[in-house]
Amino acid sequence: MSTENEGNEGNAVPSAPSVPSAPPVPAAAPEGAPQGAPPAPQTPPAAPADAPTAQVPGAAHQGGVGPSTAAQEQYPYAPPSPQQPPAGSAAWPPPPPAVPSYADGGSPPAWGAPVPSDEQPRKRRASGLVAAVAVAALVAGGVGGALGYWAADSSGSGSSGSTTVAASNSPKDFKREAGTVAGVAASALPSVVTIDAKSGDGEGGTGTGFVYDKEGHILTNNHVVASAADSGQLTATFSNGKKYDAEVIGRAQGYDVAVLKLKNAPDGLTPLALGDSDKVAVGDSTIAIGAPFGLSNTVTTGIISAKNRPVASGDGSSNKNSYMSALQTDASINPGNSGGPLLDAGGAVIGINSAIQSTSGGGVGQSQAGSIGLGFAIPVNQAKNVAEQLIKTGQPVYPVIGATVTMEEKTGGAAISNEGAGGTPAVTPDGPAAKAGLKAGDVITKFNDTAVESGPTLIGEIWTHKPGDKVTLTYKRDGRTETAELTLGERKGDS
């Protein structure tokens, strides 16, 4: 698991999108149609009065672009077959094959009319190629658009018809609904900031934050601002380019949450609406906004892939970890997205993007690897509780059970250590765990109804609550399963 380090030394240059292959070009004329054949005579030879005539339609088009180049021949003396109704009936001759309108505004030859000269089919084939390029241009964007225009312009200087198709609405008239991704992004981007943090020695990185209230408080990750919290410099840049100096009001290393305040905050700040992360469901749509690799105001989308993921993340600069029971999303999150909002489909904040799983093997916070579709966000309900405490007192408050557990992964639960830090008792005397009867060596396997697989899992679950909450622990001792109810205690500040 790796937290997104923010040390972006330079801006990445986005690579040009690949141009998709063009649709198939219409098939060439069927064999046997001579290219130099003269046009069919305008007036067929006289036929006997009792001999009905039948006309054979041209060949069907391959690919649906332009008419077939096969010549249409008329057979004045061809009698109808026994299966064919006589000429003049409602079912004969059959209706002409359906063909699309032509790119140059022309019309296909009239049913039964003589075929144009061989020069005209070559012009139609060129139009087919232009149409294929135009389709690619719609997919590939500007590069394809320029190519499509060049091909249309050079396909026939003598042609006065247009090969372009206009949309029914011009961009200035096209309106994005509030519930679309574009609508949510347009509404949220003015309240998202790119944070530049520089330490006292000039080093720094880039992260993200968002407007928490109208007083100018900005909510972000602790690891985004940690290097500049004491003697560095912090700035917050809005999507309109306006930049403001900022200062740290409080930060919680264990929660990986920090609150900044803008100096000389402008009037009219619009805080992002906060959702309810407890009501989020797996499969819900997500929208992430941030500055991956320094690319500010980047919007990505995905879904909630899982809930209550135990995540222990570090900032790469200390041996202290942050713990969360995270929301997992496949929205693209990269270094620089840290601290940015994870929004639901309605535009409400449901989490703070904080960590990614990396394939580099470096662990959380020790790699600049990009997204592999495994991103993790602090649930906003927890982040809100921490933010309110930091704004109020400047220091975090943590709920605790009063016991030290091991951080080993494969213990079948959270095992209470034999002793605490510095030789202190593993179970705090008169603490919540001691009052509930827990002892060193007990293995906690459940926290309320949530299975506990390790020490980090237990801590992440505890920190989704508040001091004073009553919880139920299930644990194993000497092969027996026991339960205990306790009231969570509190610890102030980061130790």
Side-chain angles (χ1 to χ4, degrees):
M1 196 70 56
S2 69
T3 300
E4 309 149 40
N5 286 339
E6 314 312 320
N8 302 316
E9 302 299 335
N11 292 335
V13 180
S15 59
S18 60
V19 180
S21 59
V25 178
E31 294 183 4
Q35 295 296 322
Q42 297 297 323
T43 304
D50 59 348
T53 62
Q55 298 172 340
V56 179
H61 306 304
Q62 303 296 318
V65 181
S68 169
T69 57
Q72 297 176 356
E73 299 183 9
Q74 296 178 342
Y75 298 86
Y77 300 107
S81 64
Q83 290 79 13
Q84 297 173 340
S89 68
W92 187 261
V99 294
S101 59
Y102 289 81
D104 61 357
S107 300
W111 181 246
V115 72
S117 68
D118 63 335
E119 181 179 357
Q120 187 67 14
R122 286 196 297 271
K123 184 174 181 181
R124 293 300 186 193
R125 288 196 296 272
S127 296
L129 178 59
V130 172
V133 174
V135 172
L138 292 175
V139 178
V143 175
L147 178 62
Y149 175 80
W150 176 86
D153 187 62
S154 62
S155 64
S157 58
S159 174
S160 60
S162 172
T163 61
T164 60
V165 179
S168 59
N169 293 321
S170 61
K172 66 179 181 179
D173 297 328
F174 189 80
K175 295 181 180 180
R176 278 83 179 174
E177 298 296 332
T180 64
V181 174
V184 170
S187 177
L189 276 168
S191 300
V192 179
V193 298
T194 299
I195 298 173
D196 290 311
K198 291 185 179 179
S199 61
D201 57 9
E203 295 184 0
T206 302
T208 309
F210 61 92
V211 177
Y212 181 73
D213 58 26
K214 294 183 178 181
E215 284 69 43
H217 290 110
I218 303 295
L219 194 56
T220 186
N221 282 142
N222 172 67
H223 75 261
V224 170
V225 303
S227 62
D230 296 326
S231 59
Q233 180 181 4
L234 290 166
T235 60
T237 305
F238 284 82
S239 60
N240 60 7
K242 293 184 178 180
K243 182 181 293 187
Y244 299 88
D245 290 333
E247 60 182 345
V248 176
I249 296 299
R251 58 194 185 98
Q253 183 274 326
Y255 291 120
D256 198 15
V257 172
V259 176
L260 312 182
K261 188 170 185 180
L262 301 178
K263 298 179 180 179
N264 302 316
D267 295 330
L269 288 175
T270 303
L272 288 182
L274 303 183
D276 187 348
S277 53
D278 289 340
K279 295 182 180 179
V280 170
V282 173
D284 282 350
S285 297
T286 58
I287 302 170
I289 303 179
F293 297 102
L295 300 174
S296 301
N297 310 315
T298 295
V299 178
T300 57
T301 63
I303 62 169
I304 293 293
S305 305
K307 297 177 62 176
N308 303 319
R309 285 293 194 210
V311 175
S313 63
D315 58 12
S317 61
S318 67
N319 59 359
K320 295 181 179 180
N321 284 335
S322 301
Y323 300 94
M324 68 185 89
S325 182
L327 298 175
Q328 179 183 327
T329 181
D330 66 347
S332 182
I333 298 174
N334 288 287
N337 276 103
S338 283
L342 184 68
L343 308 174
D344 63 16
V349 181
I350 54 175
I352 301 178
N353 300 317
S354 301
I356 60 174
Q357 175 69 50
S358 171
T359 58
S360 66
V364 177
Q366 301 174 12
S367 168
Q368 285 289 311
S371 171
I372 59 171
L374 294 173
F376 303 95
I378 302 168
V380 74
N381 290 8
Q382 177 182 343
K384 178 182 177 182
N385 292 336
V386 178
E388 293 294 336
Q389 190 66 42
L390 293 176
I391 293 172
K392 182 179 179 180
T393 67
Q395 64 177 344
V397 175
Y398 298 93
V400 296
I401 63 170
T404 302
V405 296
T406 63
M407 294 294 106
E408 297 177 13
E409 294 292 333
K410 297 181 179 180
T411 57
I416 299 179
S417 305
N418 292 324
E419 64 178 15
T424 60
V427 178
T428 305
D430 297 325
K435 292 179 180 179
L438 274 72
K439 300 178 179 180
D442 290 345
V443 179
I444 300 171
T445 58
K446 256 188 179 183
F447 182 91
N448 288 335
D449 294 327
T450 302
V452 173
E453 300 173 351
S454 64
T457 306
L458 176 63
I459 296 173
E461 285 299 319
I462 292 172
W463 286 357
T464 62
H465 291 70
K466 297 179 181 179
D469 286 351
K470 293 183 178 181
V471 299
T472 300
L473 298 181
T474 303
Y475 63 95
K476 290 183 178 180
R477 178 188 297 171
D478 299 328
R480 301 188 312 273
T481 299
E482 306 284 348
T483 60
E485 293 185 355
L486 56 82
T487 301
L488 296 174
E490 70 174 29
R491 171 172 62 85
K492 293 184 178 180
D494 286 307
S495 58

